Amino acid sequence: MARKKTNYFCTECGWESSGWLGKCPGCNSWNSFVEVEKVTGKSRKPDQPSRGNWAATERGRTAGQNKLMSLAEVAAGENIRVPTGITELDRVLGGGLVKGSMVLLGGEPGIGKSTLVLQIIGSLPAGSSLYVSGEESSAQVRMRADRLGIDSSGIGFLPVTDFAGILEAVTASEPEFLVIDSIQTAYVDEIVAAPGSVTQVREVAAGLLRLAKSRGITVILIGHVTKEGNIAGPRILEHMVDTVLYFEGEKLQDYRMLRAVKNRFGATDELGFFTMGDQGLSSLEKASEMLLSGRPLGVSGSVVTSTIEGTRPLLLEIQALIVPSSFAAPLRMAQGLDRMRLSMLLAVLDKKTNLGLSGMDAYLNVTGGLRITETASDLAVLSAAVSSIKDLRTYYDAIILGEVGLTGEVRGISQIERRLSEAERTGWTRFVLPAANKTQLDKTKFGNRLELYYVSQINEAFDLLFP
Ligand code: TYD
Ligand code: MG
């Protein structure tokens, strides 16, 4: 007799519980639990898979598969990487798609996920890929391929969203690359839950994972991101897949950023830049130039600094607007910066100068939609603030670098040589740097070519920049 059992899932993060909960212990969201009927082992038909156990889908497990063995007996096998030829994507992936890996590509609707995967497929050998689309009709995909100038003859296309159908097509055509557009439209028929629900997303992903690993197929999953920035069941998906890429950008602007937030085969926090044009996405290798384009020259409240994203140094502009406050507690607004860090930095500035920050509202902005997570731009943030308060542009058009401590000291920063190289490449010659980095830089030739000004206190920097 089949046992019917129900379980409760958090729709936000996939937390599983045997009873209903008001607040999710996993992600702290309220009223997010839904009841889902569970297919238990006993009720399962012989060839029907259960969660995470899709090996069984391969119509019966081969005997001896579960044999215990020493890890040394396992052939080490190299990671075979297939470069896609899309330079910025390869950079983010760490050199290319790893055979048999599973990549999750997340992003808001309309950001360009389908465009990117179609371009990836277009760059792969003809006949090696299968594109499963539950989002768009075959005609739509064909039209897009034509627009992108991709030869569609070598691309397998399957407008099916049922897992069994996908499995059948994979078995028949044996592709090397499988794209699922999107995970939210795919479903397993045996499971009583709507496509896109946590249960379905997790069942389908588990099934695809088995496919990827058992047959060495590289799977790219597309996942829509909700307004809150989550892929449905993000935690389940994120720990299941090898690589998580997020596609970001302002839809109205034409540049896009691809960020690796998890990568078992490369560096995380790697950033790739693209521009979206009439013929799809093009890699943008010179991102610093793009981030600084449109920077107002000779105005107050704007400075340039350098930040490291993954393995890549980037130049970016920090803008500040400091105005008298009409509030009892002055405002501290930050776009692209940590607000707590900003409050702390402004408190240091207040203590170490007589600029009277306690009565002023501060608005700080990192242009280009980037988020600074490191402290090397502290001094630049404060320099932008001082520039705005004094309504003076900086005397030198310089790259400003340095971490600021609570006593107003300017502390050394990491990877300074790479930052200088990137800035030099884009034509910058003047730098305000922490004195702590001087010994290190004296060993290099930068001092011969560039004007390096070293400071050890924030006031030294301000004396230099606003004489
Ligand atoms: P799409 O890849 O469909 O986004 P997603 O799959 O993430 O929902 O991209 C949609 C947008 O991209 C759409 O607004 C049109 C634009 N686009 C271009 O600007 N140029 C192009 O060559 C293509 C194919 C799309
Ligand atoms: Mg799409």
PDB file of all heavy atoms in Angstrom, residues 373-399:
ATOM      1  N   THR A 373      33.716  46.082  -2.574  1.00  0.00           N
ATOM      2  CA  THR A 373      33.665  45.284  -1.352  1.00  0.00           C
ATOM      3  C   THR A 373      34.997  45.307  -0.616  1.00  0.00           C
ATOM      4  O   THR A 373      35.116  44.736   0.442  1.00  0.00           O
ATOM      5  CB  THR A 373      33.320  43.823  -1.673  1.00  0.00           C
ATOM      6  OG1 THR A 373      34.162  43.401  -2.741  1.00  0.00           O
ATOM      7  CG2 THR A 373      31.872  43.680  -2.095  1.00  0.00           C
ATOM      8  N   GLU A 374      35.988  45.955  -1.184  1.00  0.00           N
ATOM      9  CA  GLU A 374      37.278  45.973  -0.493  1.00  0.00           C
ATOM     10  C   GLU A 374      37.543  47.357   0.079  1.00  0.00           C
ATOM     11  O   GLU A 374      36.870  48.325  -0.257  1.00  0.00           O
ATOM     12  CB  GLU A 374      38.396  45.522  -1.434  1.00  0.00           C
ATOM     13  CG  GLU A 374      38.417  46.262  -2.747  1.00  0.00           C
ATOM     14  CD  GLU A 374      39.738  46.115  -3.473  1.00  0.00           C
ATOM     15  OE1 GLU A 374      40.494  45.192  -3.150  1.00  0.00           O
ATOM     16  OE2 GLU A 374      40.016  46.951  -4.319  1.00  0.00           O
ATOM     17  N   THR A 375      38.559  47.420   0.937  1.00  0.00           N
ATOM     18  CA  THR A 375      38.793  48.663   1.672  1.00  0.00           C
ATOM     19  C   THR A 375      39.825  49.561   0.986  1.00  0.00           C
ATOM     20  O   THR A 375      40.076  50.668   1.464  1.00  0.00           O
ATOM     21  CB  THR A 375      39.291  48.343   3.091  1.00  0.00           C
ATOM     22  OG1 THR A 375      40.383  47.425   2.971  1.00  0.00           O
ATOM     23  CG2 THR A 375      38.199  47.714   3.923  1.00  0.00           C
ATOM     24  N   ALA A 376      40.393  49.105  -0.117  1.00  0.00           N
ATOM     25  CA  ALA A 376      41.467  49.870  -0.758  1.00  0.00           C
ATOM     26  C   ALA A 376      40.981  51.207  -1.303  1.00  0.00           C
ATOM     27  O   ALA A 376      41.788  52.075  -1.635  1.00  0.00           O
ATOM     28  CB  ALA A 376      42.099  49.047  -1.877  1.00  0.00           C
ATOM     29  N   SER A 377      39.673  51.393  -1.392  1.00  0.00           N
ATOM     30  CA  SER A 377      39.169  52.648  -1.940  1.00  0.00           C
ATOM     31  C   SER A 377      38.701  53.615  -0.846  1.00  0.00           C
ATOM     32  O   SER A 377      38.116  54.653  -1.162  1.00  0.00           O
ATOM     33  CB  SER A 377      38.040  52.362  -2.921  1.00  0.00           C
ATOM     34  OG  SER A 377      37.143  51.450  -2.359  1.00  0.00           O
ATOM     35  N   ASP A 378      38.976  53.289   0.415  1.00  0.00           N
ATOM     36  CA  ASP A 378      38.571  54.172   1.527  1.00  0.00           C
ATOM     37  C   ASP A 378      39.037  55.616   1.329  1.00  0.00           C
ATOM     38  O   ASP A 378      38.275  56.562   1.488  1.00  0.00           O
ATOM     39  CB  ASP A 378      39.180  53.675   2.854  1.00  0.00           C
ATOM     40  CG  ASP A 378      38.503  52.406   3.356  1.00  0.00           C
ATOM     41  OD1 ASP A 378      37.485  52.013   2.762  1.00  0.00           O
ATOM     42  OD2 ASP A 378      39.005  51.827   4.334  1.00  0.00           O
ATOM     43  N   LEU A 379      40.327  55.752   1.012  1.00  0.00           N
ATOM     44  CA  LEU A 379      40.884  57.101   0.888  1.00  0.00           C
ATOM     45  C   LEU A 379      40.227  57.858  -0.270  1.00  0.00           C
ATOM     46  O   LEU A 379      40.010  59.065  -0.195  1.00  0.00           O
ATOM     47  CB  LEU A 379      42.409  57.026   0.688  1.00  0.00           C
ATOM     48  CG  LEU A 379      43.139  58.363   0.673  1.00  0.00           C
ATOM     49  CD1 LEU A 379      42.963  59.113   1.978  1.00  0.00           C
ATOM     50  CD2 LEU A 379      44.636  58.172   0.394  1.00  0.00           C
ATOM     51  N   ALA A 380      39.877  57.123  -1.319  1.00  0.00           N
ATOM     52  CA  ALA A 380      39.202  57.748  -2.455  1.00  0.00           C
ATOM     53  C   ALA A 380      37.808  58.233  -2.048  1.00  0.00           C
ATOM     54  O   ALA A 380      37.375  59.322  -2.442  1.00  0.00           O
ATOM     55  CB  ALA A 380      39.111  56.765  -3.620  1.00  0.00           C
ATOM     56  N   VAL A 381      37.120  57.444  -1.253  1.00  0.00           N
ATOM     57  CA  VAL A 381      35.788  57.839  -0.778  1.00  0.00           C
ATOM     58  C   VAL A 381      35.891  59.147   0.004  1.00  0.00           C
ATOM     59  O   VAL A 381      35.136  60.097  -0.234  1.00  0.00           O
ATOM     60  CB  VAL A 381      35.181  56.715   0.110  1.00  0.00           C
ATOM     61  CG1 VAL A 381      33.935  57.203   0.828  1.00  0.00           C
ATOM     62  CG2 VAL A 381      34.876  55.478  -0.718  1.00  0.00           C
ATOM     63  N   LEU A 382      36.860  59.209   0.914  1.00  0.00           N
ATOM     64  CA  LEU A 382      37.008  60.420   1.726  1.00  0.00           C
ATOM     65  C   LEU A 382      37.474  61.606   0.881  1.00  0.00           C
ATOM     66  O   LEU A 382      37.046  62.729   1.099  1.00  0.00           O
ATOM     67  CB  LEU A 382      37.979  60.167   2.883  1.00  0.00           C
ATOM     68  CG  LEU A 382      37.432  59.264   3.990  1.00  0.00           C
ATOM     69  CD1 LEU A 382      38.386  59.210   5.156  1.00  0.00           C
ATOM     70  CD2 LEU A 382      36.057  59.737   4.452  1.00  0.00           C
ATOM     71  N   SER A 383      38.330  61.344  -0.100  1.00  0.00           N
ATOM     72  CA  SER A 383      38.789  62.444  -0.958  1.00  0.00           C
ATOM     73  C   SER A 383      37.622  63.011  -1.767  1.00  0.00           C
ATOM     74  O   SER A 383      37.521  64.227  -1.950  1.00  0.00           O
ATOM     75  CB  SER A 383      39.887  61.960  -1.908  1.00  0.00           C
ATOM     76  OG  SER A 383      40.956  61.430  -1.167  1.00  0.00           O
ATOM     77  N   ALA A 384      36.740  62.139  -2.218  1.00  0.00           N
ATOM     78  CA  ALA A 384      35.563  62.615  -2.957  1.00  0.00           C
ATOM     79  C   ALA A 384      34.690  63.459  -2.036  1.00  0.00           C
ATOM     80  O   ALA A 384      34.177  64.516  -2.429  1.00  0.00           O
ATOM     81  CB  ALA A 384      34.768  61.431  -3.506  1.00  0.00           C
ATOM     82  N   ALA A 385      34.556  63.018  -0.786  1.00  0.00           N
ATOM     83  CA  ALA A 385      33.742  63.762   0.178  1.00  0.00           C
ATOM     84  C   ALA A 385      34.335  65.143   0.449  1.00  0.00           C
ATOM     85  O   ALA A 385      33.634  66.153   0.398  1.00  0.00           O
ATOM     86  CB  ALA A 385      33.619  62.964   1.479  1.00  0.00           C
ATOM     87  N   VAL A 386      35.648  65.185   0.687  1.00  0.00           N
ATOM     88  CA  VAL A 386      36.299  66.475   0.958  1.00  0.00           C
ATOM     89  C   VAL A 386      36.187  67.394  -0.256  1.00  0.00           C
ATOM     90  O   VAL A 386      35.914  68.587  -0.138  1.00  0.00           O
ATOM     91  CB  VAL A 386      37.783  66.256   1.351  1.00  0.00           C
ATOM     92  CG1 VAL A 386      38.499  67.583   1.499  1.00  0.00           C
ATOM     93  CG2 VAL A 386      37.867  65.465   2.643  1.00  0.00           C
ATOM     94  N   SER A 387      36.363  66.824  -1.433  1.00  0.00           N
ATOM     95  CA  SER A 387      36.254  67.599  -2.663  1.00  0.00           C
ATOM     96  C   SER A 387      34.867  68.231  -2.784  1.00  0.00           C
ATOM     97  O   SER A 387      34.723  69.386  -3.182  1.00  0.00           O
ATOM     98  CB  SER A 387      36.550  66.677  -3.856  1.00  0.00           C
ATOM     99  OG  SER A 387      36.196  67.294  -5.064  1.00  0.00           O
ATOM    100  N   SER A 388      33.841  67.461  -2.406  1.00  0.00           N
ATOM    101  CA  SER A 388      32.492  67.995  -2.483  1.00  0.00           C
ATOM    102  C   SER A 388      32.261  69.088  -1.447  1.00  0.00           C
ATOM    103  O   SER A 388      31.702  70.145  -1.749  1.00  0.00           O
ATOM    104  CB  SER A 388      31.479  66.863  -2.288  1.00  0.00           C
ATOM    105  OG  SER A 388      30.177  67.394  -2.184  1.00  0.00           O
ATOM    106  N   ILE A 389      32.740  68.863  -0.228  1.00  0.00           N
ATOM    107  CA  ILE A 389      32.527  69.862   0.832  1.00  0.00           C
ATOM    108  C   ILE A 389      33.227  71.176   0.474  1.00  0.00           C
ATOM    109  O   ILE A 389      32.662  72.258   0.564  1.00  0.00           O
ATOM    110  CB  ILE A 389      33.071  69.362   2.192  1.00  0.00           C
ATOM    111  CG1 ILE A 389      32.324  68.101   2.615  1.00  0.00           C
ATOM    112  CG2 ILE A 389      32.945  70.437   3.256  1.00  0.00           C
ATOM    113  CD1 ILE A 389      32.931  67.413   3.810  1.00  0.00           C
ATOM    114  N   LYS A 390      34.477  71.071   0.014  1.00  0.00           N
ATOM    115  CA  LYS A 390      35.236  72.271  -0.325  1.00  0.00           C
ATOM    116  C   LYS A 390      34.831  72.842  -1.678  1.00  0.00           C
ATOM    117  O   LYS A 390      35.269  73.927  -2.048  1.00  0.00           O
ATOM    118  CB  LYS A 390      36.737  71.948  -0.365  1.00  0.00           C
ATOM    119  CG  LYS A 390      37.339  71.586   0.979  1.00  0.00           C
ATOM    120  CD  LYS A 390      38.840  71.335   0.800  1.00  0.00           C
ATOM    121  CE  LYS A 390      39.522  70.930   2.081  1.00  0.00           C
ATOM    122  NZ  LYS A 390      40.223  72.005   2.764  1.00  0.00           N
ATOM    123  N   ASP A 391      34.038  72.078  -2.424  1.00  0.00           N
ATOM    124  CA  ASP A 391      33.662  72.421  -3.794  1.00  0.00           C
ATOM    125  C   ASP A 391      34.896  72.729  -4.642  1.00  0.00           C
ATOM    126  O   ASP A 391      34.951  73.684  -5.403  1.00  0.00           O
ATOM    127  CB  ASP A 391      32.679  73.594  -3.804  1.00  0.00           C
ATOM    128  CG  ASP A 391      31.896  73.644  -5.119  1.00  0.00           C
ATOM    129  OD1 ASP A 391      31.938  72.639  -5.865  1.00  0.00           O
ATOM    130  OD2 ASP A 391      31.260  74.683  -5.408  1.00  0.00           O
ATOM    131  N   LEU A 392      35.902  71.904  -4.451  1.00  0.00           N
ATOM    132  CA  LEU A 392      37.154  72.034  -5.212  1.00  0.00           C
ATOM    133  C   LEU A 392      37.418  70.719  -5.922  1.00  0.00           C
ATOM    134  O   LEU A 392      37.263  69.658  -5.314  1.00  0.00           O
ATOM    135  CB  LEU A 392      38.314  72.279  -4.252  1.00  0.00           C
ATOM    136  CG  LEU A 392      38.552  73.668  -3.698  1.00  0.00           C
ATOM    137  CD1 LEU A 392      39.711  73.613  -2.708  1.00  0.00           C
ATOM    138  CD2 LEU A 392      38.839  74.647  -4.827  1.00  0.00           C
ATOM    139  N   ARG A 393      37.829  70.775  -7.173  1.00  0.00           N
ATOM    140  CA  ARG A 393      38.256  69.532  -7.799  1.00  0.00           C
ATOM    141  C   ARG A 393      39.635  69.177  -7.243  1.00  0.00           C
ATOM    142  O   ARG A 393      40.334  70.045  -6.712  1.00  0.00           O
ATOM    143  CB  ARG A 393      38.295  69.681  -9.308  1.00  0.00           C
ATOM    144  CG  ARG A 393      39.376  70.614  -9.806  1.00  0.00           C
ATOM    145  CD  ARG A 393      39.375  70.635 -11.315  1.00  0.00           C
ATOM    146  NE  ARG A 393      40.377  71.549 -11.819  1.00  0.00           N
ATOM    147  CZ  ARG A 393      41.649  71.220 -12.010  1.00  0.00           C
ATOM    148  NH1 ARG A 393      42.069  70.017 -11.726  1.00  0.00           N
ATOM    149  NH2 ARG A 393      42.496  72.108 -12.481  1.00  0.00           N
ATOM    150  N   THR A 394      40.017  67.906  -7.361  1.00  0.00           N
ATOM    151  CA  THR A 394      41.327  67.532  -6.833  1.00  0.00           C
ATOM    152  C   THR A 394      42.409  68.208  -7.675  1.00  0.00           C
ATOM    153  O   THR A 394      42.281  68.321  -8.893  1.00  0.00           O
ATOM    154  CB  THR A 394      41.531  66.007  -6.870  1.00  0.00           C
ATOM    155  OG1 THR A 394      41.303  65.559  -8.199  1.00  0.00           O
ATOM    156  CG2 THR A 394      40.576  65.301  -5.930  1.00  0.00           C
ATOM    157  N   TYR A 395      43.463  68.654  -7.016  1.00  0.00           N
ATOM    158  CA  TYR A 395      44.532  69.389  -7.696  1.00  0.00           C
ATOM    159  C   TYR A 395      45.204  68.512  -8.748  1.00  0.00           C
ATOM    160  O   TYR A 395      45.521  68.958  -9.836  1.00  0.00           O
ATOM    161  CB  TYR A 395      45.548  69.861  -6.649  1.00  0.00           C
ATOM    162  CG  TYR A 395      46.665  70.695  -7.214  1.00  0.00           C
ATOM    163  CD1 TYR A 395      46.425  72.002  -7.634  1.00  0.00           C
ATOM    164  CD2 TYR A 395      47.948  70.170  -7.310  1.00  0.00           C
ATOM    165  CE1 TYR A 395      47.450  72.767  -8.144  1.00  0.00           C
ATOM    166  CE2 TYR A 395      48.974  70.936  -7.829  1.00  0.00           C
ATOM    167  CZ  TYR A 395      48.723  72.238  -8.245  1.00  0.00           C
ATOM    168  OH  TYR A 395      49.738  72.977  -8.755  1.00  0.00           O
ATOM    169  N   TYR A 396      45.410  67.264  -8.401  1.00  0.00           N
ATOM    170  CA  TYR A 396      45.939  66.306  -9.369  1.00  0.00           C
ATOM    171  C   TYR A 396      44.814  65.416  -9.832  1.00  0.00           C
ATOM    172  O   TYR A 396      44.008  64.983  -9.018  1.00  0.00           O
ATOM    173  CB  TYR A 396      46.979  65.374  -8.717  1.00  0.00           C
ATOM    174  CG  TYR A 396      48.182  66.069  -8.168  1.00  0.00           C
ATOM    175  CD1 TYR A 396      48.374  66.151  -6.802  1.00  0.00           C
ATOM    176  CD2 TYR A 396      49.134  66.594  -9.032  1.00  0.00           C
ATOM    177  CE1 TYR A 396      49.490  66.758  -6.290  1.00  0.00           C
ATOM    178  CE2 TYR A 396      50.262  67.207  -8.518  1.00  0.00           C
ATOM    179  CZ  TYR A 396      50.433  67.293  -7.149  1.00  0.00           C
ATOM    180  OH  TYR A 396      51.544  67.891  -6.652  1.00  0.00           O
ATOM    181  N   ASP A 397      44.769  65.104 -11.108  1.00  0.00           N
ATOM    182  CA  ASP A 397      43.849  64.081 -11.555  1.00  0.00           C
ATOM    183  C   ASP A 397      44.574  62.750 -11.330  1.00  0.00           C
ATOM    184  O   ASP A 397      45.345  62.298 -12.168  1.00  0.00           O
ATOM    185  CB  ASP A 397      43.503  64.285 -13.036  1.00  0.00           C
ATOM    186  CG  ASP A 397      42.181  63.632 -13.387  1.00  0.00           C
ATOM    187  OD1 ASP A 397      41.439  63.255 -12.457  1.00  0.00           O
ATOM    188  OD2 ASP A 397      41.880  63.498 -14.587  1.00  0.00           O
ATOM    189  N   ALA A 398      44.350  62.184 -10.161  1.00  0.00           N
ATOM    190  CA  ALA A 398      45.152  61.026  -9.759  1.00  0.00           C
ATOM    191  C   ALA A 398      44.264  59.857  -9.383  1.00  0.00           C
ATOM    192  O   ALA A 398      43.096  60.023  -9.052  1.00  0.00           O
ATOM    193  CB  ALA A 398      46.031  61.401  -8.569  1.00  0.00           C
ATOM    194  N   ILE A 399      44.849  58.677  -9.436  1.00  0.00           N
ATOM    195  CA  ILE A 399      44.197  57.491  -8.900  1.00  0.00           C
ATOM    196  C   ILE A 399      44.490  57.467  -7.404  1.00  0.00           C
ATOM    197  O   ILE A 399      45.658  57.568  -7.011  1.00  0.00           O
ATOM    198  CB  ILE A 399      44.772  56.201  -9.540  1.00  0.00           C
ATOM    199  CG1 ILE A 399      44.664  56.239 -11.055  1.00  0.00           C
ATOM    200  CG2 ILE A 399      44.145  54.957  -8.934  1.00  0.00           C
ATOM    201  CD1 ILE A 399      43.354  55.837 -11.619  1.00  0.00           C
TER     202      ILE A 399
END
